[in-house]
Amino acid sequence: MFYVDAKPRAPIAEFDQGLVWTAMLLVGLGLVMVYSASIAIAEGSRATGHQPTYYLMRHGIFVATSLVAAVAAFQVPLRLWQQAAPYLFLFGVGLLMLVLVPGVGREVNGSQRWISLYFVTLQPSELMKLFAVLYAADYTVRKAAHMDSFRKGFLPMFVVMLIVGGLLLREPDFGAFVVITVIAMGILFLGGMNWRLFAGLFGLLLVGFIVLIITSPYRLQRVVGFMDPWADAYGKGYQLSHALIAFGRGEWLGVGLGASVEKLFYLPEAHTDFLLAVIAEELGFVGVVAIIVAFTWIVARAFMIGRRAASLERNFSALVAQGIGVWIGVQAIINIGVNTGMLPTKGLTLPLLSFGGSALVATCCALAVLLRIDWENRQIMKGFTV
């Protein structure tokens, strides 16, 4: 006699709810901490009209805009993203050229990285990260048969990234250059590039980074300052030394939300690049670990979604998902490393948390694309076509 298991199988969910809630919690925490970190700066600045909620209101608008953009990005099928990838990449290159045009690009603290749109400023290098993911994934799929060839597989991508790198270094935006380079390399490696070519590329890039640092006085000073910030705590090591003081004051559970001392005109860029230091001071070691766990979860989910797409023979979707994981993971690692004194100071924001409209819009759109990949995977597993 045969028995039939009457227990129904759990239906496949429409999307990864854990990924959505993790991202939303980070965005919500970012909104709170940007306000906390910027109150004193906003209240004491003539440029903000001495309004304590100046950065809170602007970041709130950025969050709303990013969510709308993310919803729109989710509606686009991955086949259309793949078709548009080369054109989006060319559009990004055009923006990187435009930002260098005198009178068009806006210069802040010696870097010309922004295009003023009157009511808001656009940072093309942030959008370029998403375009680089899409382009590198599309290139790898198209050149899959030539990944062992230096001339047909490696060289064209190397030339393209050399052009992008040159434009980024002209701004200069060394941090974005590093992230975009890692994105392209990561996708090429995951796409099956010959390991000898990959090792050679890695070696060339390492030599290139060392040369860029040695030949640029301001980059060399940052490296020296990062190695021993206390040697010149009121000069090259000022920012890092105060970030480390913030970490020290936070101890295990922090001094309490809003009670940071370092944000009171001591720590520069407290609401942007060094937001994590304020979080460490106010929420302590526990708060920092929670953020690291959240980013680890997002990156792990990105790779799992990519692996599932690969098992369904959706190679472009798989590489895009994993490329997004590489991007968010590497940028988070760099920002955390800079805040804790493990890496030289770089102008890279903490994804989903730091103040900055272009970065938030680009990251939210990337996560929306990731969710779209997951949604299409689940639709295919249910037997539907996408």
Side-chain angles (χ1 to χ4, degrees):
M1 182 178 291
F2 297 94
Y3 295 92
V4 178
D5 186 2
K7 184 179 179 180
R9 297 180 64 182
I12 300 175
E14 289 294 321
F15 57 89
D16 191 329
Q17 297 184 17
L19 178 60
V20 173
W21 281 111
T22 303
M24 291 299 294
L25 285 171
L26 285 175
V27 171
L29 176 63
L31 186 63
V32 173
M33 294 311 303
V34 163
Y35 180 42
S36 177
S38 65
I39 292 175
I41 301 171
E43 196 171 24
S45 174
R46 184 182 303 174
T48 63
H50 303 287
Q51 300 175 17
T53 60
Y54 178 83
Y55 291 105
L56 171 66
M57 298 302 295
R58 288 178 66 84
H59 196 63
I61 294 172
F62 295 155
V63 169
T65 303
S66 299
L67 293 179
V68 171
V71 171
F74 180 81
Q75 308 304 317
V76 181
L78 262 295
R79 56 182 174 80
L80 294 183
W81 282 115
Q82 185 172 8
Q83 293 170 9
Y87 305 104
L88 290 173
F89 190 79
L90 288 174
F91 175 68
V93 172
L95 289 177
L96 291 179
M97 292 178 176
L98 190 62
V99 79
L100 297 174
V101 176
V104 176
R106 179 184 173 188
E107 185 174 332
V108 178
N109 295 330
S111 297
Q112 193 166 322
R113 305 177 186 175
W114 297 267
I115 297 175
S116 178
L117 302 177
Y118 299 104
F119 56 92
V120 71
T121 55
L122 175 69
Q123 189 172 355
S125 59
E126 294 295 340
L127 299 180
M128 196 64 193
K129 294 170 187 175
L130 176 57
F131 299 158
V133 169
L134 296 170
Y135 178 76
D138 175 58
Y139 176 87
T140 304
V141 170
R142 285 189 288 107
K143 299 284 187 176
H146 304 291
M147 281 294 105
D148 288 336
S149 170
F150 175 83
R151 185 173 63 86
K152 294 182 178 180
F154 165 75
L155 192 58
M157 188 64 170
F158 179 75
V159 171
V160 167
M161 296 313 298
L162 202 62
I163 294 171
V164 172
L167 292 171
L168 288 170
L169 292 175
R170 284 288 303 277
E171 295 183 6
D173 194 346
F174 188 69
F177 171 59
V178 171
V179 172
I180 290 173
T181 300
V182 172
I183 288 171
M185 285 185 60
I187 291 177
L188 288 173
F189 178 75
L190 293 167
M193 173 180 271
N194 181 287
W195 72 268
R196 292 185 180 87
L197 289 177
F198 184 81
L201 173 61
F202 182 81
L204 286 174
L205 288 172
L206 186 61
V207 171
F209 286 149
I210 293 173
V211 170
L212 286 171
I213 291 170
I214 294 175
T215 57
S216 176
Y218 90 93
R219 291 194 189 104
L220 186 59
Q221 287 177 1
R222 283 191 172 187
V223 171
V224 173
F226 133 77
M227 290 180 175
D228 187 7
W230 307 108
D232 188 10
Y234 293 99
K236 294 187 294 289
Y238 180 82
Q239 197 169 24
L240 178 54
S241 63
H242 280 279
L244 295 176
I245 291 171
F247 272 87
R249 292 192 75 250
E251 297 185 348
W252 288 99
L253 299 176
V255 297
L257 186 63
S260 167
V261 171
E262 286 300 317
K263 68 184 182 184
L264 304 177
F265 302 100
Y266 293 104
L267 179 62
E269 310 296 339
H271 59 301
T272 55
D273 303 345
F274 281 82
L275 182 67
L276 186 69
V278 177
I279 293 174
E281 186 177 2
E282 296 189 351
L283 304 183
F285 177 78
V286 172
V288 174
V289 168
I291 289 172
I292 293 173
V293 169
F295 278 118
T296 302
W297 171 261
I298 290 175
V299 173
R301 289 305 304 161
F303 275 85
M304 292 175 71
I305 290 169
R307 187 170 60 183
R308 180 178 293 176
S311 70
L312 297 171
E313 298 182 352
R314 306 179 65 229
N315 296 328
F316 173 76
S317 297
L319 290 174
V320 169
Q322 293 169 346
I324 291 170
V326 170
W327 163 16
I328 293 176
V330 167
Q331 185 159 333
I333 288 170
I334 292 175
N335 183 273
I336 293 169
V338 166
N339 275 257
T340 55
M342 298 175 67
L343 292 172
T345 302
K346 288 310 306 166
L348 279 176
T349 57
L350 189 60
L352 300 174
L353 286 150
S354 295
F355 179 83
S358 299
L360 190 59
V361 169
T363 309
C364 286
C365 285
L367 289 175
V369 173
L370 180 61
L371 283 169
R372 176 73 192 197
I373 295 169
D374 181 55
W375 182 83
E376 290 186 2
N377 287 344
R378 294 168 190 249
Q379 295 302 304
I380 291 173
M381 292 170 65
K382 291 178 181 179
F384 299 113
T385 57
V386 293

